[in-house]
Amino acid sequence: MSPSVYYAADIKTLLKKLSTDQIDHMTSVGVYAGIMAQKMNDCRIYPRCFNQRQIEQISEAAFYHDIGKAWLPQEIVSKCGDLTTKELLAVRQHTLLALRQFDYINSHVISGVPRCLIPLSCDAAVYHHEHWDGGGYPFGLSGNNIPLIARIVAICDCYDKETAQKENGHRIACHSIAQGAGTQFDPALTRVFVGHNRDFAAALCSYRNSDWF
């Protein structure tokens, strides 16, 4: 993909390529990521707690996790029903497309992402499909080699997708995330989510019934 196609583009131009549903998903994942960061503080699973601005930055950066999909054919991104093998492989490229986008953002070809958010946003967008056990993509990273924000987003991404698509979505999402502990998801973060799942459910109810979405 030629950078000249996106010369002087801003991030809002790219976001306009995505559907309202996709933007809503990115927004909700950002909200859940902020909750996760706060609950990590409450559980003290890491020696250093996040301050309020760091929590806000995690939330804001997590929004960009699917920005790579702006460079995919939108008929595939928005397709209802199962994807073909070829389509699935194409969708999986969104993480690598995001890596290229952030190269352009760093070189000022694409503008609009606050400089303080670029490293976190890039990590969220490129690595959120990596799995704790190394079975994810695009690079097969494992454990703590996966950036923390990407491990947070992986859980929040799963939660939003499950709750958006299924009846009893909260219960199903909690089960899926708990089952994925130590394989798909960071086990410590999974415990944080499971232990505070009612806070995520409350946020789901609040935001889905507001003008936020």
Side-chain angles (χ1 to χ4, degrees):
M1 192 165 299
S2 170
S4 63
V5 174
Y6 297 96
Y7 181 73
D10 61 44
I11 200 69
K12 290 182 180 179
T13 302
L14 291 178
L15 290 171
K16 286 178 182 178
K17 296 176 180 292
L18 297 169
S19 69
T20 300
D21 285 346
Q22 186 63 42
I23 295 296
D24 288 349
H25 167 68
M26 293 164 67
T27 300
S28 61
V29 168
V31 171
Y32 296 138
I35 295 171
M36 177 69 82
Q38 181 61 63
K39 298 309 175 185
M40 288 167 64
N41 276 0
D42 295 345
C43 294
R44 298 186 180 277
I45 65 170
Y46 290 101
R48 294 181 61 184
C49 291
F50 302 119
N51 61 40
Q52 188 56 42
R53 182 56 189 142
Q54 288 171 325
I55 291 171
E56 291 169 357
Q57 288 178 334
I58 288 169
S59 179
E60 292 165 8
F63 167 80
Y64 293 102
H65 76 282
D66 269 349
I67 190 63
K69 290 183 178 179
W71 281 3
L72 290 172
Q74 292 308 296
E75 62 271 19
I76 296 178
V77 174
S78 301
K79 181 180 177 180
C80 295
D82 295 335
L83 299 176
T84 66
T85 300
K86 184 177 181 180
E87 289 169 339
L88 183 59
L89 289 173
V91 169
R92 287 190 168 196
Q93 292 300 305
H94 76 281
T95 53
L96 295 176
L97 292 172
L99 183 60
R100 189 176 301 182
Q101 285 174 349
F102 277 97
D103 283 342
Y104 295 161
I105 289 167
N106 275 313
S107 59
H108 307 286
V109 175
I110 298 173
S111 62
V113 178
R115 301 304 296 178
C116 64
L117 292 182
I118 290 174
L120 278 175
S121 300
C122 183
D123 283 347
V126 176
Y127 302 110
H128 67 283
H129 284 293
E130 300 286 5
H131 290 183
W132 184 258
D133 66 358
Y137 66 90
F139 301 118
L141 300 183
S142 63
N144 291 322
N145 290 320
I146 305 167
L148 177 58
I149 190 171
R151 288 180 270 144
I152 292 171
V153 168
I155 292 174
C156 298
D157 183 46
C158 176
Y159 181 73
D160 188 64
K161 288 178 178 176
E162 295 280 14
T163 54
Q165 296 175 2
K166 299 175 181 178
E167 293 184 12
N168 301 313
H170 175 75
R171 179 180 58 80
I172 294 169
C174 288
H175 177 75
S176 295
I177 292 167
Q179 289 292 105
T183 53
Q184 183 173 353
F185 305 119
D186 179 332
L189 295 185
T190 303
R191 289 193 295 274
V192 173
F193 171 83
V194 171
H196 295 85
N197 72 86
R198 291 183 180 180
D199 295 279
F200 290 86
L204 170 66
C205 181
S206 175
Y207 286 107
R208 289 270 165 85
N209 291 302
S210 72
D211 291 337
W212 185 279
F213 287 89

